[in-house]
Amino acid sequence: MVAVPRSLRSPLFVARDTPRLSGPPFTLGVASGDPLPGGVVLWTRLAPEPQTPTGGMPAEPVSVRWQVARDEAFGKIVRQGKALAKPDAAHTVHVDVAGLEPGRDYFYRFIAAGEESPVGRTRTAPAPDASRRPVRFAFASCQQYEEGYFTAHRHLADEDVDLVAFLGDYIYEDDPSDDKVRRHEAVEPTDLAGYRARYATYKADVDLQAAHAAHPWALIWDDHEVENNYAADRAQRDTVSPAEFRDRRAAAYRAWWEHQPVRLRAPTGPDVLMYRTLDFGRLATFQLLDTRQYRTDQACGSPVDIGAPCPDVDSPDATLLGDTQSRWLARALGRSRSRWNLIAQQVMVGRVNFAPTLPGGGIINLDQWDGYTAARRSLMKQLAQLAPNPVVLTGDIHSSWVHDLVAEGSVAGGSVAKGSDASGTSERVVATELVGTSITSSFPLEAIVRDAVASQPTIKYFEGTKHGYVRAEVDERQLRADFRYVSGIDAPTATVETGASFVVEAGRPGAQPA
Ligand SMILES: [Fe+2]
């Protein structure tokens, strides 16, 4: 904790602005997110005792000062103000700072109860017409706390990127286990207090705090922020009624919002509009999607995600985005003036058959777009027709992939990817999909997939043993993606290296090894 200047420690300041707390309040770090050309959302939470139900805070609002400066020493403060950390938001603070300059680094901090927060660095988005400087970003997903240390975040903090897109599974709802590297604090959360405690466990991680403090993030949720493989108001195994599940979802979404630097209205129920757009000048637009809240239930009646395709996977009514979001996406893509249109979403779009020689269509992942083929056809049409150079960014599967996304038909009845333009067949490549591996979560199907992918030419790359993130850069000419892998997650420190690199040339969909 940084020492507070004497002037802020005066009895007058303490008495007027803050109650006495049981300890330093900034135990969960600081964060920024959803950058605009002129602004960014700043976040922190006051929690001197983060693992207690109240976070160790009194049941009253507490005033928090915030400052944004051009320099790390805060000699040139350009914006400052006060916000209220309220008990009904777990004493979190969301400040939507405006009036900043585009494409600039800024430093920020909070002051409360006579304590200063760590200093965060953020960066505003480029000006709307900017196209000269490349846009750099990273994306990551899936950080099961018990399965390893967040060594990837330590290295992510050191990258020079304009944005970190986090594609979901920020927390896992699992019960604690005794045979892992670390341990969850309590049983599976189902209510607001439980989810808040789970976020406190994750947010206390110093490497995660470092990655947040180094870059602005854009966050979307996947399933584990609520429950594994849930679909809209259906629990994974239908153990509770849709009405009960909506209560759980409301608590989970509320806790997610409380703990993330997102520019969204505070949730007050189970329905939360999370999908949104972020523009980075003329070079990049990110469409941030929600494939959990509006989806139809997984096909084929299986509570597990891996299974044989049944006719339902081709149902015209099966949806991952829902009608409203799908129409919104069409409008958003149509409006984009960007060279690169990045679709940040959760589950793998590219076709994968885990056992292509098995009779009856093999084995697919019913939780992914493979289980929703009509919806995928509609998405492919949108990507092909509405915006130039679409590239899909995906998490969820805890392994690294590059796919040629093609305009195609059914996966039921055994039709396996035959190939793509790049490999000399007739299927038209519409877009590239980059699937990033997990920060820590494990992928149990590595050996099976390694054998299966060789016969599926739309799969350009697969790696199923490593953890890390993807770093990417776009300019007028190309997108380059580096798959960054850490040497391990069993110990608190690790090295990082680039394991594979791919390039997509503007105007030529399909990734090539760099
Ligand atoms: Fe995951």
Side-chain angles (χ1 to χ4, degrees):
M1 200 60 54
V2 179
V4 174
R6 189 166 295 277
S7 61
L8 297 180
R9 279 197 225 137
S10 70
L12 184 65
F13 175 84
V14 172
R16 194 178 55 200
D17 279 332
T18 62
R20 293 216 173 273
L21 302 180
S22 58
F26 297 105
T27 54
L28 302 178
V30 299
S32 71
D34 287 356
L36 301 174
V40 68
V41 174
L42 306 180
W43 175 93
T44 195
R45 178 180 167 190
L46 307 182
E49 300 163 31
Q51 279 306 332
T52 64
T54 61
M57 293 295 291
E60 59 187 87
V62 173
S63 178
V64 180
R65 292 177 60 194
W66 56 269
Q67 297 177 326
V68 177
R70 292 277 297 279
D71 61 319
E72 201 165 359
F74 287 81
K76 293 180 194 148
I77 291 173
V78 292
R79 287 284 179 276
Q80 57 186 324
K82 279 185 185 177
L84 272 187
K86 297 179 185 167
D88 68 0
H91 290 95
T92 59
V93 175
H94 295 78
V95 180
D96 194 353
V97 181
L100 303 178
E101 293 175 33
R104 283 207 86 107
D105 282 1
Y106 289 96
F107 298 88
Y108 62 94
R109 67 184 173 191
F110 300 91
I111 300 157
E115 298 276 353
E116 277 182 24
S117 74
V119 172
R121 181 183 61 194
T122 191
R123 188 176 289 172
T124 48
D129 59 351
S131 65
R132 202 167 291 174
R133 207 178 80 183
V135 172
R136 299 193 181 98
F137 63 94
F139 62 95
S141 61
C142 297
Q143 47 190 28
Q144 217 285 8
Y145 179 86
E146 300 189 307
E147 292 197 57
Y149 292 95
F150 296 164
T151 52
H153 280 307
R154 175 59 59 180
H155 291 287
L156 184 51
D158 292 335
E159 302 281 2
D160 180 14
V161 291
D162 304 314
L163 183 76
V164 172
F166 195 87
L167 306 180
D169 290 357
Y170 189 97
I171 58 162
Y172 279 70
E173 82 283 17
D174 308 329
D175 280 332
S177 29
D178 293 324
D179 57 347
K180 300 271 173 63
V181 175
R182 302 192 283 186
R183 203 166 191 279
H184 279 147
E185 76 298 330
V187 296
E188 179 170 339
T190 55
D191 61 8
L192 185 55
Y195 284 110
R196 282 174 172 170
R198 189 55 57 95
Y199 278 98
T201 296
Y202 281 64
K203 287 274 184 184
D205 182 279
V206 291
D207 295 327
L208 179 58
Q209 289 187 11
H212 273 298
H215 313 293
W217 286 36
L219 292 116
I220 55 177
W221 57 51
D222 194 11
D223 51 341
H224 287 285
E225 281 86 351
V226 184
E227 189 214 21
N228 184 40
N229 286 356
Y230 80 94
D233 56 9
R234 302 284 296 272
Q236 179 181 19
R237 294 175 195 278
D238 291 338
T239 43
V240 296
S241 70
E244 287 173 289
F245 190 77
R246 284 170 67 81
D247 287 345
R248 179 176 183 180
R249 200 176 84 180
Y253 286 176
R254 174 76 189 185
W256 176 86
W257 171 83
E258 286 176 348
H259 289 85
Q260 305 298 14
V262 287
R263 185 178 292 102
L264 297 174
R265 199 173 298 183
T268 54
D271 303 312
V272 179
L273 200 162
M274 181 274 275
Y275 56 83
R276 60 205 190 275
T277 302
L278 286 177
D279 288 310
F280 278 67
R282 285 289 185 97
L283 282 180
T285 292
F286 293 84
Q287 308 295 351
L288 305 164
L289 305 189
D290 179 352
T291 61
R292 287 290 165 193
Q293 190 176 180
Y294 314 105
R295 68 158 68 194
T296 46
D297 205 6
Q298 288 87 352
C300 318
S302 171
V304 292
D305 41 21
I306 306 291
C310 60
D312 282 355
V313 302
D314 294 329
S315 163
D317 299 325
T319 178
L320 276 175
L321 299 177
D323 286 347
T324 305
Q325 183 178 194
S326 188
R327 283 196 301 274
W328 166 85
L329 178 60
R331 283 196 305 277
L333 288 169
R335 262 200 313 265
S336 167
R337 299 187 306 153
S338 285
R339 187 78 159 166
W340 295 93
N341 285 279
L342 306 161
I343 316 297
Q345 56 95 50
Q346 294 80 7
V347 288
M348 203 147 75
V349 178
R351 283 182 303 201
V352 178
N353 199 318
F354 295 103
T357 55
L358 218 63
I363 301 288
I364 63 170
N365 189 325
L366 299 160
D367 186 59
Q368 300 179 166
W369 291 79
D370 265 341
Y372 300 78
T373 62
R376 177 166 57 192
R377 260 198 307 282
S378 151
L379 176 69
M380 289 302 106
K381 216 178 204 176
Q382 291 180 336
L383 296 186
Q385 296 175 356
L386 296 176
N389 299 310
V391 174
V392 177
L393 314 176
T394 300
D396 177 64
I397 194 163
H398 312 170
S399 44
S400 305
W401 306 67
V402 177
H403 293 281
D404 280 349
L405 298 181
V406 294
E408 42 82 45
S410 163
V411 297
S415 80
V416 173
K418 293 284 193 307
S420 66
D421 279 354
S423 51
T425 66
S426 60
E427 283 188 308
R428 190 163 66 90
V429 180
V430 168
T432 294
E433 181 181 25
L434 305 170
V435 184
T437 186
S438 62
I439 296 291
T440 54
S441 311
S442 58
F443 180 64
L445 301 173
E446 199 274 333
I448 298 168
V449 172
R450 201 179 341 122
D451 287 345
V453 297
S455 61
Q456 301 177 58
T458 51
I459 301 170
K460 299 298 203 179
Y461 176 62
F462 165 73
E463 208 299 315
T465 64
K466 298 198 161 78
H467 303 282
Y469 52 90
V470 177
R471 180 184 67 193
E473 176 174 316
V474 295
D475 59 23
E476 290 279 358
R477 203 168 50 84
Q478 67 172 34
L479 174 148
R480 180 194 169 94
D482 298 320
F483 287 80
R484 303 280 282 161
Y485 297 133
V486 290
S487 56
I489 57 170
D490 293 342
T493 57
T495 57
V496 70
E497 63 177 18
T498 297
S501 297
F502 286 84
V503 163
V504 183
E505 291 171 22
R508 188 174 173 226
Q512 318 293 331

